[in-house]
């Protein structure tokens, strides 16, 4: 049971691998391996090139396109949010309002 993940005892955990369970969302869990994480999650140039070619096709004739990614987490999140966190799950109206925000903010948003 981690009580204070910034304490000295957690700076040098033995073993090659570790498993976190639950929802370790704080950046402080990973600050000591930030550079390694950035390396691992940086796309290779050949992938970026392919994506940029694809986005140029999607962009079409738009001069001021702004690409906006939308991630809608459903599945387990509905149960976890409602039962464990006593939270609220975004509905269709919320998502439409969020998309309208970007439609108003940018000239040519592409979702």
């Amino acid at each position: 049971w981690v009580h204070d993940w910034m304490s000295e005892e957690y700076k040098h955990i033995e073993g090659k691998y570790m498993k976190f369970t639950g929802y370790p969302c704080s950046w402080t869990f990973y600050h000591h391996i930030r550079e390694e994480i950035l390396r691992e999650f940086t796309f290779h140039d050949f992938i970026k090139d392919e994506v940029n070619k694809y986005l140029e096709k999607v962009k079409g004739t738009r001069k001021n396109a702004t690409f906006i990614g939308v991630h809608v987490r459903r599945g387990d999140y509905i149960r976890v949010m409602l039962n464990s966190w006593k939270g609220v799950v975004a509905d269709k109206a919320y998502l439409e309002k969020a998309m309208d925000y970007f439609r108003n903010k940018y000239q040519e948003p592409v979702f």
Side-chain angles (χ1 to χ4, degrees):
W1 196 232
V2 176
H3 56 86
D4 178 4
W5 54 86
M6 295 292 284
S7 67
E8 188 66 32
E9 67 189 289
Y10 298 117
K11 286 188 179 176
H12 306 287
I13 297 173
E14 291 187 25
K16 189 173 180 182
Y17 303 102
M18 70 178 71
K19 178 181 177 182
F20 286 108
T21 60
Y23 300 91
C25 300
S26 174
W27 68 271
T28 59
F29 274 109
Y30 313 104
H31 73 282
H32 63 289
I33 56 172
R34 181 179 189 277
E35 293 305 316
E36 182 180 348
I37 291 170
L38 289 173
R39 268 194 317 278
E40 292 295 326
F41 286 92
T42 297
F43 291 111
H44 295 284
D45 289 340
F46 75 92
I47 293 174
K48 290 190 274 187
D49 292 342
E50 286 296 315
V51 169
N52 285 329
K53 286 179 196 172
Y54 176 78
L55 291 176
E56 280 300 316
K57 289 179 186 175
V58 172
K59 179 180 171 183
T61 59
R62 296 177 188 92
K63 298 285 185 212
N64 295 305
T66 300
F67 294 101
I68 301 162
V70 178
H71 174 102
V72 179
R73 184 173 172 187
R74 304 296 284 178
D76 71 317
Y77 196 67
I78 292 173
R79 180 184 48 77
V80 169
M81 180 56 84
L82 296 175
N83 298 333
S84 299
W85 295 350
K86 306 299 183 222
V88 177
V89 176
D91 60 8
K92 183 179 177 185
Y94 174 86
L95 296 172
E96 287 173 347
K97 183 177 179 182
M99 291 176 77
D100 285 343
Y101 168 83
F102 288 105
R103 287 184 184 107
N104 290 323
K105 183 175 174 100
Y106 299 106
Q107 289 179 348
E108 298 178 286
V110 179
F111 295 93

